[in-house]
Amino acid sequence: MKLFALIDGNNFYCSCERVFQPQLQNKPLIVLSNNDGCAIARSEQAKALGVKMGHPWFQVKHLEKSAGLISLSANFALYGDMSNRMMSLASELGDSQEIYSIDECFLGLQGIPDVTQRAKDTRAKILQWIGIPTCIGIGASKTLAKLANHIAKDAERKPGSYPPRLAQVCNLVELTERQRMYLFGITDIGEIWGIGRRIGQQLKDAGIKTVKDFVELDPGTVRKRFSVTLERTWRELHGQSCIDLEEIPAPKKEIAYTRTFGQPVRDLVSLTEAVTEFTSRAAEKLRRQQSFASAILVFIHTSKHRAGPQYARSITVPLVRPASDTNSLLSAAIRGLRTIYKPGYDFIKAGVILMDLSTTTVQQIELDFGSSMSNKADQLMQAIDQINSQFGRGTIIYGSTGTGKKTWSMSQQRKTPSYTAKIRDIPIAVG
Ligand SMILES: [Mg+2]
């Protein structure tokens, strides 16, 4: 039998912030999206105040005064770095790992003894070494591991929802069939991994309200009335593992970099700066996955929510041949921008999308007609990427990024320092 674990960081962004500001423990805390728009992470105390996921900041701002709600701008450099640390400790639990999102990973546990105790030890180690509280679910399939994780989480934060001994670490494999069915009977169908809101509603309309109702269906009926995908979910819940770990993420088919500006931008110079930065960042990602782009799409638009004339345009600029160096991508992007730009508008958003990506191996055949230019460009890009990763993003920039104040940059008024990712932000103990 296969065995999987799912480790998930609790309220991850909030937990990252609390590691460096312990005074935020037990306080209602939210993290805001880019440009401080809406809540993208909430502490348990903030949830208790009724703040919803995606709640616009201006609608909950009054809670700052009345209930002590604290809000912070998203600090993705910090969260990404804390995630790497968490994932490397988490990997010690199993023999294989799939990083599923910034705060979640699956682990393969085949042949590993004492998994429950090991999971408890791993959880304690992550908490002690990096300060992030986690919950771990264990099951015979990825879908069951996900469900077990949900039980472990709710048992901890909602007393009375599930038996308290399942809090933090829940191993469904250790339970009897009767105990498992009891848990399935008190779990809403919507909690099943892969059952979205629409299918969940369809099932509920058909009287299938709990996980127990669902697993008691006949698999043939599930396939006929719903889909093969849902039948696969049914099998997974019966402990037949159908979804394997994906240890190596598939390379992206498109790479996008888009941002809403902190304030409207009118002039071509500022837009060029923004598009230069976006293209440089997208190109860096492109090279990291060793791909080449055949075209680049550039777009700019005004905001429908603002008064004044509206304008939205995009353009796809094909490249003479697939490229991954910032020079080629940038000259195409800027050419595109100049074509679509019109003066007299308040632009609020811009972006670039690298399209029609191919891999290096396919590319090399074409490169064989021996352009020493592209070799040199290659070396230059490698050098730039290495310097920027070693000394911090922006150490080497393209001139058209500009060096003055960026009117187009995001407004993030409540951002904490990058404690773990920037040398000048390392916390210093005083006293
Ligand atoms: Mg989480």
Side-chain angles (χ1 to χ4, degrees):
M1 191 189 72
K2 290 194 178 174
L3 197 56
F4 297 90
L6 181 86
I7 304 188
D8 179 18
N10 300 353
N11 311 324
F12 186 68
Y13 298 166
C14 290
S15 297
C16 290
E17 298 286 356
R18 283 171 163 175
V19 171
F20 296 93
Q21 297 196 62
Q23 74 276 17
L24 298 175
Q25 295 290 354
N26 303 314
K27 297 262 168 62
L29 169 68
I30 58 172
V31 172
L32 300 171
S33 61
N34 288 340
N35 290 313
D36 297 342
C38 58
I40 52 170
R42 306 160 297 155
S43 71
E44 293 305 323
Q45 296 77 11
K47 289 176 194 171
L49 289 179
V51 182
K52 298 274 178 285
M53 204 62 177
H55 221 136
W57 169 233
F58 72 89
Q59 282 180 7
V60 292
K61 197 170 189 297
H62 64 277
L63 293 170
E64 227 178 355
K65 276 224 174 86
S66 64
L69 178 68
I70 299 157
S71 73
L72 292 171
S73 303
N75 185 344
F76 290 112
L78 174 67
Y79 311 150
D81 188 67
M82 295 297 281
S83 169
N84 287 339
R85 293 169 192 225
M86 178 180 127
M87 294 306 173
S88 90
L89 288 178
S91 72
E92 293 173 10
L93 176 60
D95 62 349
S96 50
Q97 181 181 36
E98 172 188 342
I99 295 172
Y100 183 66
S101 70
I102 193 162
D103 70 333
E104 275 176 78
C105 70
F106 286 105
L107 296 152
L109 303 176
Q110 266 82 269
I112 289 175
D114 301 328
V115 282
T116 310
Q117 190 52 48
R118 280 183 62 109
K120 286 180 179 164
D121 295 345
T122 302
R123 192 192 169 275
K125 193 170 176 181
I126 294 173
L127 187 60
Q128 196 192 355
W129 285 28
I130 61 167
I132 300 287
T134 56
C135 284
I136 305 183
I138 298 168
S141 66
K142 282 166 83 175
T143 307
L144 282 168
K146 263 279 204 191
L147 197 64
N149 180 266
H150 161 75
I151 294 169
K153 243 191 285 179
D154 269 14
E156 180 172 32
R157 67 187 175 190
K158 293 183 192 159
S161 60
Y162 293 104
R165 69 187 174 89
L166 301 176
Q168 301 180 348
V169 174
C170 168
N171 183 351
L172 288 174
V173 180
E174 268 180 359
L175 305 179
T176 64
E177 182 65 17
R178 224 175 121 238
Q179 289 170 323
R180 263 195 302 271
M181 276 304 156
Y182 166 75
L183 295 173
F184 288 179
I186 57 171
T187 304
D188 188 276
I189 186 109
E191 300 299 341
I192 299 173
W193 186 44
I195 294 193
R197 197 172 292 173
R198 203 175 52 88
I199 300 285
Q201 195 51 52
Q202 279 179 32
L203 287 162
K204 280 181 188 168
D205 291 344
I208 302 145
K209 296 197 162 58
T210 67
V211 180
K212 182 167 182 276
D213 296 336
F214 180 67
V215 297
E216 282 174 352
L217 292 172
D218 164 70
T221 314
V222 174
R223 184 180 44 220
K224 257 181 268 154
R225 277 189 57 188
F226 297 95
S227 66
V228 181
T229 322
L230 204 62
E231 187 201 356
R232 191 179 67 176
T233 300
W234 184 95
R235 293 198 181 281
E236 284 247 317
L237 288 169
H238 279 266
Q240 306 167 18
S241 169
C242 313
I243 308 169
D244 279 330
L245 281 190
E246 289 171 30
E247 289 187 65
I248 304 154
K252 290 209 167 71
K253 300 251 163 54
E254 273 182 2
I255 294 174
Y257 202 98
T258 72
R259 284 290 178 273
T260 303
F261 302 137
Q263 51 186 354
V265 165
R266 287 193 145 229
D267 61 305
L268 184 60
V269 173
S270 298
L271 280 175
T272 306
E273 287 181 7
V275 166
T276 303
E277 167 134 359
F278 300 169
T279 309
S280 307
R281 300 278 282 269
E284 215 179 288
K285 275 193 207 166
L286 183 72
R287 293 192 289 273
R288 215 176 302 141
Q289 70 167 41
Q290 305 194 322
S291 296
F292 289 79
S294 306
I296 183 165
L297 178 147
V298 185
F299 73 82
I300 45 174
H301 65 71
T302 53
S303 167
K304 283 183 208 116
H305 307 293
R306 282 175 171 272
Q310 300 290 319
Y311 180 76
R313 267 296 291 282
S314 74
I315 187 170
T316 304
V317 186
L319 298 165
V320 183
R321 54 188 212 171
S324 69
D325 67 290
T326 309
N327 288 325
S328 313
L329 297 166
L330 203 50
S331 68
I334 291 174
R335 238 183 310 130
L337 175 66
R338 287 191 182 136
T339 313
I340 57 176
Y341 172 77
K342 267 195 190 163
Y345 293 94
D346 284 334
F347 292 102
I348 194 71
K349 189 169 185 172
V352 300
I353 304 174
L354 304 181
M355 295 165 57
D356 197 7
L357 306 188
S358 56
T359 60
T360 312
T361 34
V362 179
Q363 180 57 27
Q364 240 130 31
I365 304 160
E366 286 174 64
L367 281 180
D368 270 349
F369 63 84
S371 152
S372 59
M373 252 319 274
S374 55
N375 249 331
K376 272 195 181 143
D378 244 29
Q379 285 169 7
L380 177 64
M381 288 307 124
Q382 266 178 29
I384 291 179
D385 289 349
Q386 208 182 337
I387 289 167
N388 279 339
S389 94
Q390 199 169 342
F391 297 100
R393 176 161 280 147
T395 306
I396 294 193
I397 55 165
Y398 277 78
S400 48
T401 310
T403 52
K405 196 179 167 307
K406 308 268 183 289
T407 50
W408 49 269
S409 63
M410 286 194 293
S411 83
Q412 287 198 298
Q413 292 173 0
R414 300 151 182 265
K415 192 164 143 189
T416 51
S418 297
Y419 304 103
T420 62
K422 278 192 192 139
I423 203 93
R424 62 161 194 273
D425 287 351
I426 287 181
I428 296 165
V430 183

Coordinates of all heavy atoms in Angstrom, one line a residue, residues 279-290 324-326 377-396 398:
T279 N 9.9 42.7 -18.0 CA 10.6 41.8 -18.9 C 11.8 41.2 -18.3 O 12.1 40.0 -18.5 CB 10.9 42.6 -20.2 OG1 9.8 43.3 -20.7 CG2 11.4 41.6 -21.3
S280 N 12.6 42.0 -17.6 CA 13.8 41.4 -17.0 C 13.5 40.3 -16.0 O 14.1 39.3 -16.0 CB 14.6 42.5 -16.2 OG 14.8 43.6 -17.0
R281 N 12.4 40.5 -15.3 CA 12.1 39.5 -14.3 C 11.5 38.2 -14.9 O 11.8 37.1 -14.6 CB 11.0 40.1 -13.3 CG 11.5 41.3 -12.5 CD 12.4 40.9 -11.3 NE 11.5 40.5 -10.2 CZ 11.0 41.3 -9.3 NH1 11.4 42.6 -9.3 NH2 10.3 40.9 -8.3
A282 N 10.7 38.5 -16.0 CA 10.1 37.3 -16.7 C 11.3 36.5 -17.4 O 11.3 35.3 -17.4 CB 9.1 37.8 -17.7
A283 N 12.2 37.3 -18.0 CA 13.3 36.6 -18.7 C 14.2 35.8 -17.7 O 14.6 34.7 -18.0 CB 14.2 37.7 -19.4
E284 N 14.3 36.3 -16.5 CA 15.1 35.6 -15.5 C 14.4 34.2 -15.2 O 15.0 33.2 -15.1 CB 15.1 36.4 -14.2 CG 16.3 36.3 -13.4 CD 16.2 37.3 -12.2 OE1 16.3 38.5 -12.4 OE2 16.0 36.7 -11.1
K285 N 13.1 34.3 -15.0 CA 12.3 33.0 -14.8 C 12.4 32.1 -16.0 O 12.6 30.9 -15.8 CB 10.8 33.3 -14.6 CG 10.4 33.7 -13.2 CD 8.9 33.7 -13.1 CE 8.4 34.6 -12.1 NZ 7.0 34.9 -12.1
L286 N 12.4 32.6 -17.2 CA 12.5 31.9 -18.4 C 13.8 31.1 -18.4 O 13.9 29.9 -18.7 CB 12.4 32.8 -19.6 CG 12.5 32.2 -21.0 CD1 11.1 31.5 -21.3 CD2 12.7 33.2 -22.1
R287 N 14.9 31.8 -18.1 CA 16.2 31.1 -18.1 C 16.3 30.1 -17.0 O 17.0 29.1 -17.2 CB 17.3 32.2 -18.0 CG 17.4 33.1 -19.2 CD 18.7 33.9 -19.2 NE 18.7 34.9 -18.1 CZ 18.2 36.2 -18.3 NH1 17.7 36.5 -19.5 NH2 18.3 37.0 -17.3
R288 N 15.7 30.3 -15.9 CA 15.7 29.4 -14.8 C 15.1 28.1 -15.2 O 15.6 27.0 -14.8 CB 15.1 30.0 -13.5 CG 15.7 29.6 -12.2 CD 15.1 30.2 -11.0 NE 15.1 31.7 -11.1 CZ 14.1 32.5 -10.7 NH1 13.0 32.0 -10.2 NH2 14.2 33.8 -10.8
Q289 N 14.1 28.1 -16.0 CA 13.5 26.8 -16.4 C 14.1 26.4 -17.8 O 13.6 25.5 -18.4 CB 12.0 26.9 -16.4 CG 11.4 27.8 -17.5 CD 9.9 27.5 -17.7 OE1 9.1 27.4 -16.7 NE2 9.4 27.5 -18.9
Q290 N 15.1 27.1 -18.2 CA 15.8 26.7 -19.4 C 15.0 26.6 -20.7 O 15.0 25.7 -21.4 CB 16.6 25.4 -19.2 CG 17.5 25.4 -18.0 CD 18.5 24.3 -18.0 OE1 18.1 23.1 -18.3 NE2 19.7 24.5 -17.6
S324 N 16.1 33.8 -25.1 CA 16.0 33.8 -23.6 C 16.8 35.0 -23.0 O 16.7 35.2 -21.8 CB 16.4 32.5 -23.0 OG 17.8 32.3 -23.1
D325 N 17.5 35.7 -23.8 CA 18.3 36.8 -23.3 C 17.5 38.1 -23.2 O 16.7 38.4 -24.0 CB 19.6 37.0 -24.1 CG 19.3 37.5 -25.5 OD1 18.7 36.8 -26.3 OD2 19.5 38.7 -25.7
T326 N 17.7 38.8 -22.1 CA 16.9 40.0 -21.8 C 17.0 41.0 -22.9 O 16.0 41.6 -23.3 CB 17.4 40.6 -20.5 OG1 17.4 39.5 -19.5 CG2 16.4 41.7 -20.0
A377 N 25.9 36.3 -25.6 CA 24.7 36.7 -24.9 C 24.3 35.8 -23.7 O 24.0 36.2 -22.6 CB 23.5 36.8 -25.9
D378 N 24.5 34.5 -24.0 CA 24.3 33.5 -23.0 C 25.2 33.7 -21.8 O 24.7 33.7 -20.6 CB 24.7 32.1 -23.6 CG 23.6 31.2 -23.7 OD1 22.5 31.7 -23.9 OD2 23.8 29.9 -23.7
Q379 N 26.4 33.9 -22.0 CA 27.4 34.1 -20.9 C 27.1 35.4 -20.2 O 27.1 35.4 -18.9 CB 28.8 34.2 -21.5 CG 29.4 32.8 -21.9 CD 30.6 33.0 -22.7 OE1 31.2 34.0 -22.8 NE2 31.1 31.9 -23.2
L380 N 26.7 36.4 -20.9 CA 26.3 37.7 -20.2 C 25.1 37.5 -19.3 O 25.1 37.9 -18.2 CB 26.0 38.7 -21.3 CG 25.5 40.1 -20.8 CD1 26.6 40.8 -20.0 CD2 25.1 41.0 -21.9
M381 N 24.1 36.7 -19.8 CA 22.9 36.5 -19.0 C 23.2 35.7 -17.8 O 22.8 36.0 -16.7 CB 21.8 35.8 -19.8 CG 21.2 36.7 -20.9 SD 20.6 38.2 -20.2 CE 21.4 39.4 -21.2
Q382 N 24.1 34.7 -18.0 CA 24.5 33.9 -16.8 C 25.1 34.7 -15.7 O 24.9 34.6 -14.5 CB 25.5 32.8 -17.3 CG 24.8 31.5 -17.6 CD 25.8 30.4 -18.1 OE1 26.9 30.5 -17.7 NE2 25.3 29.5 -18.9
A383 N 26.0 35.6 -16.2 CA 26.8 36.5 -15.3 C 25.8 37.4 -14.5 O 25.8 37.5 -13.3 CB 27.8 37.3 -16.0
I384 N 24.9 38.0 -15.3 CA 23.9 38.9 -14.7 C 23.0 38.2 -13.6 O 22.8 38.7 -12.5 CB 23.0 39.6 -15.7 CG1 23.9 40.6 -16.6 CG2 21.9 40.4 -15.1 CD1 23.2 41.3 -17.7
D385 N 22.5 37.0 -14.0 CA 21.6 36.3 -13.1 C 22.4 35.9 -11.9 O 21.8 36.0 -10.8 CB 21.1 35.0 -13.8 CG 20.1 35.3 -14.9 OD1 19.6 36.5 -14.9 OD2 19.7 34.4 -15.7
Q386 N 23.6 35.5 -12.0 CA 24.4 35.1 -10.9 C 24.7 36.3 -9.9 O 24.5 36.1 -8.7 CB 25.7 34.5 -11.3 CG 26.2 33.4 -10.4 CD 27.6 32.9 -10.8 OE1 27.9 32.9 -12.0 NE2 28.3 32.4 -9.9
I387 N 25.1 37.4 -10.5 CA 25.3 38.6 -9.7 C 24.1 39.0 -8.9 O 24.1 39.3 -7.7 CB 25.9 39.7 -10.5 CG1 27.3 39.4 -11.0 CG2 25.9 41.0 -9.7 CD1 27.9 40.2 -12.0
N388 N 22.9 39.0 -9.7 CA 21.7 39.5 -9.0 C 21.2 38.5 -7.9 O 20.6 38.9 -7.0 CB 20.6 39.7 -10.1 CG 20.7 41.0 -10.8 OD1 21.4 41.9 -10.2 ND2 20.2 41.1 -12.0
S389 N 21.5 37.2 -8.1 CA 21.0 36.3 -7.1 C 22.0 36.3 -5.9 O 21.5 36.1 -4.8 CB 20.9 34.8 -7.7 OG 22.0 34.1 -7.4
Q390 N 23.2 36.6 -6.1 CA 24.2 36.7 -5.0 C 24.1 38.0 -4.2 O 24.1 38.0 -3.0 CB 25.6 36.5 -5.6 CG 26.6 36.1 -4.5 CD 27.9 35.6 -5.1 OE1 28.0 35.3 -6.3 NE2 28.9 35.6 -4.3
F391 N 24.0 39.1 -5.0 CA 24.1 40.4 -4.3 C 22.7 41.1 -4.2 O 22.6 42.2 -3.7 CB 25.1 41.3 -5.0 CG 26.5 40.8 -4.9 CD1 27.0 40.1 -6.0 CD2 27.2 40.9 -3.8 CE1 28.3 39.6 -6.0 CE2 28.5 40.3 -3.8 CZ 29.0 39.7 -4.9
G392 N 21.7 40.4 -4.6 CA 20.3 41.0 -4.4 C 19.8 41.5 -5.8 O 20.5 42.0 -6.6
R393 N 18.5 41.3 -5.9 CA 17.8 41.7 -7.1 C 18.0 43.2 -7.4 O 18.0 44.0 -6.5 CB 16.3 41.5 -6.9 CG 15.5 41.9 -8.0 CD 14.1 41.2 -8.0 NE 14.2 39.9 -8.5 CZ 13.5 38.8 -8.1 NH1 12.8 39.0 -7.0 NH2 13.7 37.6 -8.6
G394 N 18.3 43.6 -8.6 CA 18.5 45.0 -9.0 C 20.0 45.4 -8.9 O 20.2 46.6 -9.0
T395 N 20.9 44.5 -8.5 CA 22.3 44.9 -8.5 C 22.7 45.4 -9.9 O 23.4 46.4 -10.1 CB 23.2 43.8 -8.0 OG1 22.7 43.3 -6.7 CG2 24.6 44.2 -7.8
I396 N 22.4 44.6 -10.9 CA 22.6 45.0 -12.3 C 21.2 45.1 -12.9 O 20.4 44.2 -12.9 CB 23.4 43.9 -13.1 CG1 24.8 43.8 -12.5 CG2 23.4 44.3 -14.5 CD1 25.8 43.1 -13.3
Y398 N 18.9 47.0 -16.3 CA 18.9 47.6 -17.7 C 18.7 49.1 -17.5 O 17.8 49.5 -16.7 CB 17.9 46.9 -18.6 CG 18.5 45.7 -19.2 CD1 18.6 44.5 -18.4 CD2 19.1 45.7 -20.4 CE1 19.2 43.4 -18.9 CE2 19.7 44.6 -20.9 CZ 19.8 43.4 -20.2 OH 20.4 42.3 -20.7

